Amino acid sequence: MVLSVLVVVGASHIDFTIYVSRIPRIGETVVGGYFRRSLGGKGANQAVAASRLGVKTYLVSMVGNDVFGDEVIKILKNEGVNVDYVFRDPKRHTGIAFILVDRNGKNIIAVASGADESLSPVDVAKALSSLKPKVLLVQLEVPIGSVYEALKRAKELGATTILNPAPYRDFPADMLRYVDVLTPNEVELSMLVHGELHGIDDYITASRKLLSLGAKAVITTLGSEGALLVTRGKHIQIPAFSVRVVDTVGAGDAFNGALASALIEGLSLEEAVRFANAAAALSVSRYGAAESMPYKDEVLKLLGQY
């Protein structure tokens, strides 16, 4: 039995990113950007984020039996992420993302999911039954049935569960009863409650609705405004850290990976959010997704400055 490990269930991609002066309009070509190829996918990004922060991390994922799958596994191993449960589908390509990032760090992303859609509930159950995690972190970039199985099985095993509902898609409402910490951004929060939200008061009301449906805590990431933590007992807005933003790709993944790692280390939710805010701030000050994830000494140094 492996003790005090984090299991991340999610997608693994190769990202093709072009940095441009501005995002082109429909039918327009913008010339003059530069190019990076790197590891991506929310599962892989969050696993790397946690591993760099010193947490024993396993990734449960699916890639194709192709050169990009080889590349994903090689990078993950180099980052210290255990890949024993990164499965391979010989019939589908590894997930691919095409990303454009403008001079202000804003981005647009298109994803060809490929092997992501092959990750099954059976695969997930096999991994979790063996690993018995202390914390589970999962997103919505793999099939909903597999997400449901991951959360349900993890709770049966006594793990703390984190659901990052991104990219948003509908899921069974009763899935929230297996979620200890729900981590949407503002847009995802509005989609979760099927209504427009305007400001902190609306975010608190929406979060409390999600608590009534079963979630134990809701942490809404607010970009430069920090993060809003709502539990049944209280709510608190925890400020962000001021940095020069160059690329926001992967910021949410940095936050979630750091949040999970902080909970593994025994921090309170409020302390964990502050730690995650620092990790996300460092990530947006660098280019790339997985490659922008900070190390623990860097996060502690930034926290020490405040």
Side-chain angles (χ1 to χ4, degrees), residues 22 49 51 58 69 72 79-80 104 123 162 206 210 230 279:
R22 60 181 176 81
S51 182
Y58 287 76
V72 166
E79 291 288 352
N104 297 313
D123 297 325
I162 304 171
L210 295 170
V230 180

Coordinates of all heavy atoms in Angstrom, one line a residue, residues 22 49 51 58 69 72 79-80 104 123 162 206 210 230 279:
R22 N -1.3 39.6 -31.3 CA -2.8 39.6 -31.0 C -3.4 38.4 -31.6 O -2.9 37.8 -32.6 CB -3.4 40.9 -31.6 CG -3.3 41.1 -33.1 CD -4.0 42.4 -33.5 NE -3.8 42.6 -34.9 CZ -4.5 42.0 -35.9 NH1 -5.5 41.2 -35.5 NH2 -4.3 42.2 -37.2
A49 N 2.6 19.9 -11.8 CA 2.6 21.0 -10.7 C 2.8 20.4 -9.4 O 3.6 20.9 -8.6 CB 1.3 21.7 -10.8
S51 N 4.1 17.4 -8.5 CA 5.4 16.7 -8.4 C 6.5 17.7 -8.2 O 7.4 17.4 -7.3 CB 5.6 15.9 -9.7 OG 6.9 15.2 -9.6
Y58 N 0.9 10.3 -8.8 CA 0.6 9.3 -9.9 C -0.4 9.9 -10.8 O -1.3 10.6 -10.4 CB 0.0 8.0 -9.3 CG 0.9 7.1 -8.5 CD1 1.4 7.5 -7.2 CD2 1.4 5.9 -9.1 CE1 2.2 6.6 -6.5 CE2 2.3 5.1 -8.4 CZ 2.7 5.5 -7.1 OH 3.6 4.6 -6.4
G69 N 2.6 10.0 -27.7 CA 2.5 9.3 -26.5 C 3.8 9.0 -25.9 O 4.0 9.1 -24.6
V72 N 5.0 12.2 -24.2 CA 4.3 12.5 -23.0 C 4.9 11.7 -21.8 O 5.2 12.3 -20.8 CB 2.8 12.2 -23.1 CG1 2.1 12.1 -21.7 CG2 2.1 13.2 -24.0
E79 N 9.8 14.5 -15.0 CA 9.3 15.4 -14.0 C 9.0 14.7 -12.6 O 8.5 15.3 -11.7 CB 8.0 16.0 -14.5 CG 8.2 17.1 -15.6 CD 8.8 18.3 -15.1 OE1 9.0 18.5 -13.9 OE2 9.2 19.2 -16.0
G80 N 9.3 13.4 -12.6 CA 9.1 12.7 -11.3 C 7.7 12.2 -11.1 O 7.3 11.7 -10.0
N104 N -0.6 40.0 -24.2 CA -1.0 40.2 -22.8 C -1.2 38.9 -22.0 O -1.7 38.9 -20.9 CB -2.4 40.9 -22.8 CG -2.2 42.3 -23.4 OD1 -1.3 43.1 -23.0 ND2 -3.1 42.7 -24.3
D123 N -10.4 1.3 -16.1 CA -9.0 1.8 -15.9 C -8.8 2.6 -14.6 O -7.9 2.3 -13.9 CB -8.6 2.7 -17.1 CG -8.6 2.0 -18.5 OD1 -8.3 0.8 -18.5 OD2 -9.0 2.7 -19.4
I162 N -10.9 16.3 -5.0 CA -10.9 17.7 -5.6 C -11.4 17.5 -7.1 O -10.8 16.8 -7.8 CB -9.5 18.4 -5.6 CG1 -9.0 18.4 -4.2 CG2 -9.6 19.8 -6.3 CD1 -7.5 18.9 -4.2
A206 N -24.0 31.4 -5.4 CA -23.9 30.2 -6.3 C -23.1 29.1 -5.6 O -23.5 27.9 -5.7 CB -23.2 30.7 -7.6
L210 N -24.2 25.1 -4.6 CA -23.4 23.9 -4.9 C -23.1 23.1 -3.6 O -23.1 21.9 -3.6 CB -22.1 24.3 -5.6 CG -22.3 24.9 -7.0 CD1 -21.0 25.4 -7.6 CD2 -22.9 23.9 -8.0
V230 N -15.6 29.2 -0.2 CA -16.9 29.2 0.5 C -17.1 27.8 1.1 O -17.0 26.8 0.4 CB -18.0 29.5 -0.4 CG1 -19.4 29.5 0.3 CG2 -17.8 30.9 -1.1
A279 N 1.5 29.7 -6.4 CA 1.9 28.9 -7.5 C 1.4 29.3 -8.8 O 2.1 29.4 -9.8 CB 1.5 27.4 -7.2

